[in-house]
Amino acid sequence: VSHNLKKMNRYLLILGFLFLISSCKSTKNKTESDFYSENNEINLFAFIGKKMSVEVFERDTTATEKFIGIDGDTVVQKVIYFDQRFKAKYQIEKPLFNNYKKDTISFLVYDHYGRPKFEKYEYAIMYISKSEKENEFYLQKYMYDPVKKNDDGTWSGINGESIKKLFENKKNGYLKARGIFE
């Protein structure tokens, strides 16, 4: 009887240990899925959004610009646009960095390659800033991460990455190189 009791205790100890390990992992995933950070001194709003619309934003094709040429003469020429301009509207599912405090947002998107690639995804992390000159929000060029909502209500990248990891990769990579983060 004593021998069987020791086996049973060892078995229960192993089960308890396995339960503890699995609980820690799910807590980590939940924490990373609940990721949020704030610094109002940084001109960036990152959020998980659901696409509502992405429309071509027509430009003035008669616009001209004036400048002094290399020979000193004043030159007036037609404005040449290198990027297409779009107006996107997204429902804010979850703020990740700073909080816009509204449930939808519209912003400008500039894309050199035609239609923006993010529009094929229903949900994405969008990285936008506010232009002081135009008083409009705009997408940090090509800055988005496609995401999915998991069965348990949490979010992850389409390849299973945590939301926190996706944000940190952009923060320490392209957004740092652009001078948004130090």
Side-chain angles (χ1 to χ4, degrees):
V1 174
S2 170
H3 179 65
N4 286 342
L5 191 57
K6 284 182 183 180
K7 275 186 173 181
M8 181 65 93
N9 282 342
R10 189 176 314 141
Y11 177 73
L12 290 174
L13 183 64
I14 290 170
L15 280 179
F17 181 71
L18 291 174
F19 177 76
L20 181 64
I21 288 173
S22 67
S23 296
C24 290
K25 185 177 181 187
S26 64
T27 301
K28 179 182 177 196
N29 288 342
K30 181 75 172 151
T31 302
E32 288 187 356
S33 178
D34 287 342
F35 170 77
Y36 177 78
S37 182
E38 194 165 319
N39 183 340
N40 292 320
E41 293 180 13
I42 295 176
N43 183 9
L44 183 75
F45 172 48
F47 64 96
I48 295 173
K50 181 178 182 179
K51 179 182 65 171
M52 297 173 77
S53 64
V54 179
E55 299 173 4
V56 173
F57 195 84
E58 296 298 329
R59 295 181 181 211
D60 181 2
T61 57
T62 64
T64 60
E65 60 185 350
K66 187 188 299 187
F67 60 92
I68 305 298
I70 55 175
D71 61 0
D73 289 342
T74 300
V75 177
V76 177
Q77 74 176 25
K78 198 172 184 178
V79 173
I80 299 170
Y81 299 109
F82 291 99
D83 292 319
Q84 280 191 283
R85 184 173 164 176
F86 300 86
K87 185 82 164 195
K89 185 173 183 181
Y90 271 70
Q91 179 176 321
I92 298 169
E93 298 289 319
K94 178 179 177 11
L96 300 177
F97 185 81
N98 291 331
N99 194 344
Y100 182 60
K101 296 185 171 103
K102 293 185 180 178
D103 58 357
T104 61
I105 189 167
S106 294
F107 53 94
L108 297 174
V109 178
Y110 296 89
D111 199 302
H112 187 68
Y113 302 105
R115 300 224 36 115
K117 304 292 184 248
F118 64 79
E119 78 175 324
K120 69 181 180 176
Y121 301 102
E122 182 178 14
Y123 297 102
I125 300 175
M126 307 305 285
Y127 302 84
I128 65 173
S129 296
K130 188 168 187 178
S131 167
E132 294 175 21
K133 183 176 158 186
E134 296 176 350
N135 198 28
E136 291 250 20
F137 287 102
Y138 64 92
L139 180 73
Q140 285 288 328
K141 200 165 189 180
Y142 311 122
M143 294 289 102
Y144 70 94
D145 287 300
V147 296
K148 62 184 177 182
K149 193 167 194 174
N150 301 312
D151 292 338
D152 64 357
T154 61
W155 294 94
S156 66
I158 59 172
N159 296 315
E161 314 93 320
S162 75
I163 297 304
K164 181 178 180 181
K165 181 179 182 184
L166 292 171
F167 178 81
E168 292 293 327
N169 285 345
K170 288 287 191 293
K171 175 184 174 184
N172 296 317
Y174 292 109
L175 295 172
K176 187 174 184 178
R178 293 179 182 179
I180 294 173
F181 290 96
E182 294 180 359

